[in-house]
Amino acid sequence: MNGEVLLDIQGLEKHFGDNRVLRGITTQIRKGEVVAIIGPSGCGKSTFLRSLNLLEEPTGGKIFFEGAEITGPDADVNKIRRKIGMVFQQFNLFPHLTIRRNITLAPVKLGLLGREEANRRADELLARVGLPDKANAYPSQLSGGQKQRIAIARAMAMNPDVMLFDEPTSALDPEMVGEVLEIMRELAESGMTMVVVTHEMGFAREVASRAVFIDEGVIKEDNAPEKFFTSAQNPRLRDFLSKVL
Amino acid sequence: MTFQERFSLNFIEKGRYKYLLSGINNTLLITIIAAAIGIALGFLIAIIRSTHDTTGRLKILDFLCKIYLTVIRGTPTTVQLLIVYFVIFSSVSRPMLSAFIAFGLNSAAYVAEIVRSGIMSIDPGQMEAGRSLGLTYPQTMVFVIIPQAFKNVLPALANEFIVLLKETSICIAISLRDLTYGTQLISSQTYDYMFPLLAGALIYLVIVVFLTWLFGKLERSMRKNER
Ligand SMILES: Nc1ncnc2c1ncn2[C@@H]1O[C@H](COP(=O)(O)OP(=O)(O)OP(=O)(O)O)[C@@H](O)[C@H]1O
Ligand SMILES: [Mg+2]
């Protein structure tokens, strides 16, 4: 992969009090890449991902998005977030709004699309995630897998340049994991740049273009999936893989 | 005296029922205006306080709100009403205006705490989802958090307004001609306390039962969205 660099992360640090979760993470995310973030529970995968759209404020280091620093004091956080979609483990759909309004809320309120245009876009996205008949349903009427597919559609409605996924299938019943991974695979094939925190090693191996192992606050391994899963150098990664594979 | 004679004496003769009618009118007017002030100011305070609690910003405003809440909730409503009427409006006799202000400010304090608890009960993931889409903090508050919080606290708010309606009866302290005062005006002319007071109590009861039904209906229609 040698597309342009979308996210340039330099020496990223995040401390919660004296809990030094991220201790200097440096990596680049290039256009079209699908990067799987892997690591033991509590190692800071979510913290890393949430730093990328500034849901967590880094305590050190710099992040550049499309060439501009987003960690500086006068970065426009709201503008930046429009271009960085995020999908959460717990879906976080808006329960008081219909599916259509969930998808159109941000584009309409931010003045990016008119109501009708936004509705048309929502219908397109619903078709794309395989739920064309759910526009008027409420989140509580959907299964977990359906909710997560809607959450993906909602993030895509902003036409983001990169999408962040934080364990998108971890809260799902096993039989629903596949449908969400399938949508993500299609998204990856369409060229979307994706950063995916996941425990789904199959997905990481087959869909990701790069796998990154975070441990003890730093990147311990960063490699193409074939090498990452078969000939890992780092002993902690080897140990980790032997437990999860 | 027969029942009919007492009824006629208290309510029909000299059109005495009109004391009750204009009393109901004033009681409802005070309740509605105070509730409107209470909602507007209460939501504002709730948003300031919960924004401070979750983001650490708005320190000074939060401090002022806290003082306000402490004072209002730490003193009797009757005393507040008397202060507004006799101290703030000491040079002019403005009972209705005094009641609007006193009950409005009072109700705001209680509404604020109800709404704040509603806002704090919303999953932080909702704010994060809104912000991650590029919505600003105020936009997410208005379109995502407040509607859900409002739905959750509607029963508590309804209860607060029913308490408010009944509490307006202390307007008797400033000789405001509300429903309770109307019963006393009749008694002072007929020397009968039982009939006017029972009539007054019955009217309060009917209004409260009606409001309870109305709020229940509103709540059910809002709940339909998420079963
Ligand atoms: N808001 C916070 N305040 C204090 N500590 C936090 C906060 N968020 C995360 N942490 C701590 O940071 C560390 C990393 O958390 P994080 O959620 O990033 O891990 P993770 O790798 O995503 O784990 P998991 O696989 O369980 O999701 C943990 O020790 C956690 O307790
Ligand atoms: Mg996590």
Side-chain angles (χ1 to χ4, degrees), chain A residues 7 27-28 50 56 109 119 128 131 167 170 172 181 184 186 188 192 202 208 214-215 236:
Chain A
L7 278 163
T27 188
Q28 283 79 41
R50 292 158 53 81
E56 300 291 353
K109 295 302 177 195
N119 285 344
R128 194 160 163 191
L131 297 168
E167 300 197 33
S170 293
L172 298 177
L181 291 180
M184 290 172 62
E186 285 168 23
M192 176 61 76
I214 296 183
D215 185 39
R236 302 251 322 178

Side-chain angles (χ1 to χ4, degrees), chain A residues 31-34 128 161 186-194:
Chain A
K31 205 171 156 88
E33 270 193 310
V34 177
R128 194 160 163 191
D161 293 339
E186 285 168 23
L187 198 55
E189 279 162 6
S190 76
M192 176 61 76
T193 312
M194 296 161 60

Side-chain angles (χ1 to χ4, degrees), chain B residues 25-101:
Chain B
N25 191 42
N26 284 342
T27 291
L28 288 179
L29 195 61
I30 294 167
T31 305
I32 289 166
I33 294 196
I37 296 173
I39 288 184
L41 193 59
F43 269 77
L44 187 68
I45 294 172
I47 290 171
I48 291 170
R49 297 256 294 126
S50 54
T51 297
H52 174 265
D53 288 356
T54 51
T55 68
R57 284 183 299 193
L58 307 180
K59 271 210 175 63
I60 296 171
L61 281 176
D62 179 67
F63 180 69
L64 293 176
C65 289
K66 268 192 196 135
I67 292 178
Y68 178 78
L69 297 179
T70 307
V71 170
I72 295 288
R73 298 197 301 168
T75 55
T77 316
T78 314
V79 175
Q80 294 164 13
L81 178 65
L82 291 171
I83 289 175
V84 174
Y85 182 71
F86 285 113
V87 180
I88 297 175
F89 291 109
S90 57
S91 52
V92 283
S93 177
R94 303 293 299 273
M96 282 299 275
L97 185 62
S98 300
F100 295 158
I101 293 173

